[in-house]
């Protein structure tokens, strides 16, 4: 059996043992809903990341194969950036729809349904004459974008509803949930990556669709046992809330279907997309700033200022972190020595280092924060952001060193470098991402939590758009058909040195200097 299949088998066995273990050890502490949502989100992430593992590779190798290599890469990164940016932009609306009109259950089911359609469309897109069919390709991505906007934010918010606000089990529940997220991601990057690259692209995409179908079915069947929770808001049921004069269900469905061609179009309008994001960001940050500066209570206002400052650093983090699905995957394809024990491993499966490290390290991190907390030494939220950025920069430094000093004569670096890079990036993610989410809920004034959370996703969205742009820098014009890996190696190394190391480390330093001020503004909340 070849090594890829071995890795795949071991990965699945590990998960098949790990998941029952988690459920068994937590079954008495948590409501059943946690496990239903765990499985639904696990399979949804399976589909999302299975597809992301293949996306940029598929675009550069199949979809835009008629273009010169550099042009194909530039185009692919622009689409990747716009796609992931919209994936994190639409949850703002998805959350609103659930709160006001459809309730969690209907919104999640509708979103899941659209995502299933999207993934299967990508699968079908490979059959016969449909290979490389652009309208189908962009339509499929748009279906996933809109579907994800309804699904992703609401599964997490829904989970919160099964616990009282100050329930001590809540943090634990979210850690278990995050484990589900990463188990799904891990399995899919391995499985869809392998199937897509080694067997057939479209089987890989289709497999992602099957994952999503399982997630949707799990949710559909088991959410019936949730009683009153997640039903449509009372006022809607009683007919007091209407949209265009009728029950809101149909208008929401029609409007979301109408959004699909718009998103599909936007995927191709790179500049317009950037401008829209910029305008939305200015409006929202401006609004938050206004809120912060005019707050009656000085402490409330200053706490919001902290969120605004961290908004920018959060975006920088994701702009570099999300190179994983973009330029790092093409770097792995071209410049990593993927021959191991006689097998050439497909580049896409290397992305699975991130979720694997999360699964292994998340318990360690929770334990560490708890211990430090008891010793009175737990770093403050801004300090954890500094640590997150610093580890991200360190990860890129490892790749740069590998590329500059340890590449072989063919321009290939050892797998060890990419593994260590992912290790540091993952530790960075664990230091910053969960902390950021919980900070938003603690530092925002009660009435605007939902809005600030939306803004927080927006900063992620901007980060993802920037990620696409940074990716284009690695697709230098000088690199065209048949370029020697030695040439591409230098371009990756330089881009990562400037953006991954210098800019990120610079951001970490600036934030570090701001810590005393931010701590003062936080007024006792850490
Ligand atoms: N890997 C995480 C996930 O897919 C990344 C993420 C963190 C996304 C926080 C949204 C919010 O869930």
């Amino acid at each position: 059996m070849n090594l890829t299949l071995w890795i795949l088998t071991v990965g699945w066995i590990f998960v098949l043992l790990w998941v029952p273990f988690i459920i068994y050890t937590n079954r008495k502490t948590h409501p059943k809903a946690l496990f239903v949502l765990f499985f639904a989100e696990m399979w949804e992430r399976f589909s999302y990341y299975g597809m992301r593992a293949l996306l940029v590779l598929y675009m550069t190798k199949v979809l835009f194969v008629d273009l010169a290599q550099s042009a194909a890469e530039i185009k692919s990164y622009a689409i990747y950036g716009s796609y992931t940016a919209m994936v994190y932009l639409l949850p703002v609306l998805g959350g609103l729809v659930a709160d006001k009109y459809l309730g969690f259950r209907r919104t999640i089911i509708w979103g899941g349904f659209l995502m299933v359609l999207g993934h299967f469309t990508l699968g079908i897109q490979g059959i016969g004459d449909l290979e490389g069919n652009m309208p189908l390709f962009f339509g499929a991505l748009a279906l996933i974008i809109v579907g994800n906007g309804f699904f992703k934010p609401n599964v997490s918010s829904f989970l919160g509803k099964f616990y009282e606000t100050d329930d001590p089990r809540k943090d634990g529940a979210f850690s278990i949930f995050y484990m589900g997220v990463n188990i799904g991601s891990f399995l899919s990057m391995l499985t869809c990556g392998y199937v897509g690259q080694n067997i057939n692209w479209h089987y890989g995409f289709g497999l992602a669709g099957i994952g999503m179908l399982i997630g949707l079915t799990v949710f559909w069947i088991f959410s019936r046992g949730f009683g009153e929770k997640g039903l449509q808001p009372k006022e809607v049921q009683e007919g007091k809330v209407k949209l265009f004069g009728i029950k809101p269900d149909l208008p929401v469905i029609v409007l979301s279907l109408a959004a699909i061609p718009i998103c599909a179009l936007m995927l191709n309008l790179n500049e317009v997309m950037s401008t829209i994001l910029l305008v939305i960001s200015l409006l929202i940050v401006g609004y938050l700033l206004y809120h912060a500066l005019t707050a009656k209570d000085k402490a409330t206002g200053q706490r919001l200022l902290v969120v605004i400052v961290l908004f920018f650093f959060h975006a920088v983090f994701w702009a570099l972190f999300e190179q994983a699905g973009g330029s790092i995957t093409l770097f792995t394809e071209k410049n990593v020595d993927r021959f191991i024990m006689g097998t050439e491993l497909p580049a896409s499966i290397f992305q699975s280092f991130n979720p694997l490290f999360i699964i292994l390290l998340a318990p360690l991190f929770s334990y560490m924060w708890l211990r430090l907390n008891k010793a009175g030494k737990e770093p403050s939220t801004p300090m954890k952001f500094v640590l997150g950025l610093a580890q991200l920069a360190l990860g890129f430094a490892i790749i740069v060193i590998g590329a500059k000093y340890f590449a072989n004569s063919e321009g290939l670096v050892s797998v060890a470098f990419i593994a260590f890079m992912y290790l540091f990036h993952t530790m960075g993610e664990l230091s910053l991402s969960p902390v950021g989410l919980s900070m938003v809920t603690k530092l925002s004034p009660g009435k605007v939590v939902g809005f600030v959370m939306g803004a927080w996703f927006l900063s992620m969205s901007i980060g993802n758009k920037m990620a696409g742009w940074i990716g284009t820098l690695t697709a230098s014009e000088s690199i065209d058909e048949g370029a020697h890996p030695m040439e591409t190696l230098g371009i990756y190394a330089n881009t990562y040195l400037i953006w991954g190391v210098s800019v990120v480390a610079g951001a970490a330093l600036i934030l570090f200097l701001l810590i005393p001020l931010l701590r003062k503004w936080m007024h006792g909340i850490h």
Side-chain angles (χ1 to χ4, degrees), residues 45 49 88 152 178 181-182 318 429 433 437 457 460:
R45 290 286 97 181
Y49 282 109
Y88 290 113
K152 168 93 176 157
Y178 207 61
V181 163
N182 285 286
W318 291 105
E429 178 185 353
S433 174
L437 288 171
F457 267 79
M460 209 159 165

Side-chain angles (χ1 to χ4, degrees), residues 72-275:
E73 287 189 13
I74 289 174
K75 203 171 158 83
S76 306
Y77 287 131
I79 294 170
Y80 172 74
S82 298
Y83 168 68
T84 48
M86 281 193 267
V87 157
Y88 290 113
L89 184 62
L90 267 78
V92 184
L93 291 176
L96 202 80
V97 165
D99 284 345
K100 277 203 144 75
Y101 301 118
L102 297 193
F104 285 122
R105 286 200 220 168
R106 285 191 184 186
T107 315
I108 291 172
I109 289 173
W110 176 233
F113 174 72
L114 293 176
M115 289 183 82
V116 171
L117 277 187
H119 287 293
F120 282 138
T121 308
L122 266 189
I124 291 172
Q125 197 241 4
I127 299 176
D129 285 351
L130 295 177
E131 173 79 58
N133 181 303
M134 296 289 171
L136 268 190
F137 177 78
F138 289 111
L141 294 196
L143 278 164
I144 299 172
I145 291 169
V146 177
N148 179 81
F150 287 126
F151 196 101
K152 168 93 176 157
N154 290 318
V155 188
S156 318
S157 319
F158 198 13
L159 178 59
K161 298 276 174 217
F162 290 89
Y163 299 85
E164 299 296 324
T165 321
D166 49 2
D167 193 323
R169 297 171 305 166
K170 203 169 180 176
D171 276 359
F174 275 93
S175 308
I176 295 172
F177 184 75
Y178 207 61
M179 196 71 98
V181 163
N182 285 286
I183 288 172
S185 321
F186 171 64
L187 286 180
S188 72
M189 290 164 176
L190 284 182
T191 317
C192 302
Y194 168 73
V195 173
Q197 277 199 278
N198 285 11
I199 301 176
N200 178 317
W201 294 103
H202 300 281
Y203 292 169
F205 290 131
L207 211 57
I210 293 176
M212 190 62 228
L213 191 60
I214 300 177
L216 176 62
T217 313
V218 167
F219 184 81
W220 202 325
I221 295 177
F222 290 98
S223 64
R224 290 169 190 214
F226 287 174
E228 293 281 298
K229 288 207 165 63
L231 293 178
Q232 277 187 294
K234 276 266 166 330
E235 310 79 62
V236 179
Q237 289 187 29
E238 289 162 3
K240 286 189 201 136
V241 174
K242 293 198 158 111
L243 205 58
F244 303 116
I246 52 173
K247 219 173 153 246
D249 300 46
L250 191 63
V252 167
I253 290 180
V254 173
L255 285 178
S256 43
L257 291 177
I260 291 165
I262 300 176
C263 289
L265 201 70
M266 293 302 296
L267 283 167
N268 257 315
L269 300 177
N270 188 25
E271 312 277 298
V272 182
M273 185 67 214
S274 308
T275 315

Side-chain angles (χ1 to χ4, degrees), residues 21 45 79 112 241 309 350 414 475 509:
F21 173 75
R45 290 286 97 181
I79 294 170
V241 174
V309 170
F350 285 79
S414 145
L509 184 67

